[in-house]
Amino acid sequence: MTRTLMTIGECMVEMAPGEDGRFAMGFAGDMFNSAWYARQVAGDGLRVAFLSAIGDDAVSAEMERFIRAAGVEPLLSVVPGKSVGLYLISLKDGERSFSYWRSDSAARRLTDGLDRLPGLMSGDWVLISGITLAILDDDRRARLLGLLHEAKSRGVQIALDPNIRPRLWTDAEEMRRQIMRKAALSDLVLPSFDDEAIHFGDATPEATLARYRAAGAASVVVKNGAGPVVGSEGTSRTVTVHPPKIPAVVDTTAAGDAFNGGFLSAFMAGASLTDSIQAGCDVAAQVIGARGALVPVKRSRT
């Protein structure tokens, strides 16, 4: 039986620097990136869909064609008179920083007109991020929460990557409150320890894991850069997986997104928590060895 992974968020125009210093245009965004990587490494038994909103201009139409060509099903509402956001990547020693132009993008209206998340059934998964939450106003964020509750009532599993971006929020306390509120609804949380340490004060990855488990998440996997990944599922013991060693880090853009795609594609196929984490690490390791958010990867050995 085919199962569905649906990711929800914003896809933007990406301007990424090449080795010659010139910028190349592409399309990317955290939740689309995760869908893109899941589609690359998953078998035929996984349908991958991306839910968002686009404008009615030429670049929006090109984005939809790009998403479809990647094998990801585009579930895109069209907002008349709007367009998509744009970001520019700057690199220094493999670490990236971003400049954004997204304040009035169509994706900020992605919940408009929805009374349920389409095409989902029991056993399917939905992945959202803290960025998804941050770009929505209060009413649309509440609508998204309602859509997730409705989907969960039908047996759909909910995953959250907190992906903390404080500049997208007007208030740090509200950011933390909204993330933890969605974590309480989630069956799986995929935080990154460096963000959690800064914004929630966690001393260790294990502390991050414990906080999200205490909030109600059945499973938590804490990404930790080049450090060990820790995860816990149900009543099972905590597992630790060491990512592969990377000779040279070229660009860390989308490493966490790639991990999500690799992890979920394996987890949804029935792999163990340990093997699913390893699959995520294997995909992320390939991504940080190349420039840009979306790079070709090979399926994990798991």
Side-chain angles (χ1 to χ4, degrees):
M1 181 180 70
T2 299
R3 301 177 72 183
T4 295
L5 170 62
M6 176 189 292
T7 69
I8 303 175
E10 181 176 22
C11 189
M12 294 176 286
V13 174
E14 177 196 75
M15 300 302 294
E19 294 183 2
D20 62 359
R22 297 184 180 184
F23 285 81
M25 188 184 102
F27 298 104
D30 69 333
M31 290 295 91
F32 173 68
N33 300 346
S34 291
W36 196 84
Y37 285 110
R39 180 66 280 155
Q40 281 204 77
V41 300
D44 295 336
L46 185 66
R47 166 185 173 247
V48 182
F50 174 65
L51 188 147
S52 190
I54 58 174
D56 56 0
D57 58 347
V59 72
S60 295
E62 180 62 26
M63 176 182 287
E64 181 173 6
R65 287 191 291 270
F66 178 82
I67 293 169
R68 196 179 300 278
V72 176
E73 182 176 337
L75 302 174
L76 306 173
S77 57
V78 176
V79 183
K82 298 297 180 183
S83 187
V84 295
L86 178 148
Y87 72 96
L88 182 146
I89 300 173
S90 299
L91 288 173
K92 183 178 181 181
D93 300 325
E95 290 299 322
R96 80 282 196 220
S97 60
F98 301 99
S99 300
Y100 291 98
W101 296 265
R102 71 195 306 181
S103 61
D104 195 32
S105 71
R108 291 178 177 267
R109 297 158 177 80
L110 62 83
T111 62
D112 289 9
L114 290 177
D115 56 8
R116 66 162 44 194
L117 298 176
L120 297 175
M121 60 183 64
S122 181
D124 292 338
W125 281 80
V126 171
L127 173 66
I128 67 168
S129 76
I131 294 176
T132 310
L133 301 176
I135 65 172
L136 302 177
D137 61 25
D138 290 344
D139 290 342
R140 292 181 172 97
R141 196 179 299 132
R143 179 176 289 180
L144 176 60
L145 182 62
L147 293 169
L148 295 173
H149 273 293
E150 191 282 329
K152 191 161 184 172
S153 73
R154 293 186 279 124
V156 175
Q157 306 288 295
I158 309 299
L160 168 70
D161 180 346
N163 214 353
I164 299 172
R165 298 292 183 268
R167 287 193 298 175
L168 293 176
W169 297 86
T170 57
D171 178 85
E173 185 56 39
E174 176 67 4
M175 174 186 74
R176 288 187 287 267
R177 188 181 75 83
Q178 289 291 345
I179 288 171
M180 294 308 296
R181 185 182 182 191
K182 300 309 181 292
L185 174 66
S186 300
D187 300 281
L188 168 69
V189 181
L190 296 157
S192 295
F193 174 63
D194 54 352
D195 288 341
E196 305 293 326
I198 293 170
H199 300 289
F200 283 93
D202 297 336
T204 64
E206 289 77 10
T208 298
L209 187 151
R211 176 168 51 81
Y212 282 113
R213 288 298 303 268
S219 300
V220 179
V221 174
V222 185
K223 296 167 282 187
N224 191 20
V229 179
V230 297
S232 177
E233 177 186 14
T235 58
S236 301
R237 64 179 179 83
T238 298
V239 301
T240 302
V241 175
H242 294 266
K245 299 295 183 182
I246 307 301
V249 175
V250 175
D251 181 358
T252 58
T253 303
D257 309 334
F259 178 95
N260 294 345
F263 174 89
L264 281 165
S265 63
F267 200 57
M268 291 180 66
S272 69
L273 181 66
T274 297
D275 286 347
S276 298
I277 293 172
Q278 187 64 63
C281 289
D282 288 348
V283 176
Q286 296 177 67
V287 171
I288 64 177
R291 290 179 180 269
L294 303 180
V295 301
V297 296
K298 297 178 180 178
R299 187 176 299 184
S300 169
R301 63 180 177 269
T302 58

